[in-house]
Amino acid sequence: MLAAILALAILAIIFGLLLGYGAIKFKVEGDPVVDQIDAILPQTQCGQCTFAGCRPYAEAIAKGEADINQCPPGGETVILALADLLGRDPKPLNAEHGTHGEKTVVIIDEQVCIGCTLCIQACPVDAILGAAKHMHTVIKSECTGCNLCIPPCPVDCIHIVPVGTTLQTWTWPSPRDEHVHSA
Amino acid sequence: MTEYALILVSTILVNNFVLVKFLGLCPFLGVSRKLETAMGMASATTFVLTLSAVLSWVVNTYLLAPLQLEYLQTLTFILVIAVVVQLTEMIVHKTSPLLYKVLGIYLPLITTNCAVLGVALLNIQQEHNFIQTFLYGFGASLGFSLVLILFAAMRERIMVADVPTPFKGASIALITTGLMSMAFMGFAGLIKG
């Protein structure tokens, strides 16, 4: 009995060490820079940078195929953070891709909605709830304000509303933002 | 020498693990939809099967047998197989990310390929020595590769053939397997015993 337990334990330890060594030896390195850039981007997945989403844009920046000033939702904050991370000079937001505004979300005018599901297919973050021929609605907390759902809507029932500051969402202005605005 | 050649011929054709012993049918049906994936799977399985057969034999002969722990064979062999599969997965992930992606879940599932455990256990049962063990494992994996690649090639043809609706998909695949199996029974007279 004791011999059996010992034999199996020793065998397991040897195999464990072997696998541990293999894991180090055959480690697959993802590009850590891409992860860092992706973490800075606002994850709106809006596609205004001309890439399919934030991750592809991050990959393009890492490869040097895209500039750091193509993200309107992120605005100056993101550009400065990227410039800092990559050691490049900050530059103003490229107006071709849009302008940085207040954070907005969309709402669906539920009286007008015909339940065509087109906006559901357009939403990159699955923030629209609904089914064919049933009224749709936007989950406000999930909406990133990318406005990609607006062009496909055949009855123009999706409207942009600013996210006002409420008692629940108000915070002290971060020193970083102040630095950005004074810069 | 003839004895070794006999082991190879026997495991590849006469006692083919998939079509005669019916072991390892899961990956046989799972990854045979495309010739390229079948080839990738065949090479990965060849590596795992041969290495795990040899390692199992070594563990059994030098650890289990002296301690009279033969009753732990199945457990120990599964451990050996799992380790070899993990190692293969790491190597494939590192060397060929594309193949890694294509094989997907079937790569870790080599662990549960019963042909792998079957070969390891049969080696002990038939009291093979080291070289015989190696040849038995290698032959078994060659046999597996042979029928997997043949079957994948056939399935690619069947994909474009006009199959009657009730037979489409898995049914025609299983019928084809059955026909292949009958064809392989023709090899039964090749070796006596």
Side-chain angles (χ1 to χ4, degrees), chain A residues 71-103:
Chain A
C71 182
E76 213 169 340
T77 325
V78 163
I79 294 173
L80 284 178
L82 286 177
D84 193 33
L85 175 73
L86 302 168
R88 297 190 200 166
D89 288 330
K91 47 178 93 172
L93 184 67
N94 190 340
E96 271 176 37
H97 299 283
T99 48
H100 178 61
E102 197 186 349
K103 174 155 169 41

Side-chain angles (χ1 to χ4, degrees), chain B:
Chain B
M1 199 58 221
T2 26
E3 181 202 4
Y4 296 143
L6 275 182
I7 288 181
L8 271 182
V9 175
S10 151
T11 45
I12 296 175
L13 296 176
V14 184
N15 288 318
N16 188 287
F17 272 78
V18 179
L19 293 179
V20 179
K21 289 200 197 322
F22 300 112
L23 291 171
L25 281 171
C26 160
F28 179 68
L29 289 169
V31 284
S32 53
R33 237 167 248 137
K34 267 191 164 170
L35 200 54
E36 281 167 45
T37 47
M39 284 176 178
M41 187 64 174
S43 49
T45 311
T46 304
F47 182 73
V48 170
L49 224 161
T50 315
L51 195 60
S52 63
V54 171
L55 265 181
S56 299
W57 186 87
V58 169
V59 168
N60 185 67
T61 316
Y62 293 106
L63 188 75
L64 298 185
L67 294 170
Q68 284 158 355
L69 295 172
E70 279 95 345
Y71 60 91
L72 286 175
Q73 267 168 6
T74 310
L75 186 75
T76 320
F77 290 176
I78 290 175
L79 187 70
V80 170
I81 292 165
V83 168
V84 175
V85 169
Q86 275 294 312
L87 217 57
T88 316
E89 197 183 343
M90 282 175 200
I91 294 169
V92 172
H93 196 171
K94 178 82 179 177
T95 52
S96 166
L98 195 70
L99 185 63
Y100 181 78
K101 232 180 183 173
V102 168
L103 288 180
I105 186 66
Y106 288 101
L107 192 54
L109 274 184
I110 300 177
T111 320
T112 55
N113 185 341
C114 41
V116 182
L117 183 63
V119 168
L121 287 172
L122 282 173
N123 268 325
I124 309 302
Q125 222 175 60
Q126 300 181 3
E127 293 172 352
H128 285 155
N129 65 26
F130 186 79
I131 296 170
Q132 283 169 330
T133 302
F134 172 76
L135 286 177
Y136 197 75
F138 189 59
S141 54
L142 279 189
F144 179 82
S145 307
L146 176 73
V147 294
L148 183 65
I149 290 168
L150 281 180
F151 188 54
M154 270 195 239
R155 269 183 101 168
E156 281 197 346
R157 289 289 293 272
I158 291 171
M159 282 282 272
V160 291
D162 186 19
V163 181
T165 322
F167 292 120
K168 275 203 172 118
S171 352
I172 192 77
L174 285 169
I175 290 169
T176 316
T177 316
L179 291 175
M180 278 177 86
S181 174
M182 292 204 308
F184 266 71
M185 280 182 182
F187 289 119
L190 206 59
I191 298 171
K192 274 183 192 143

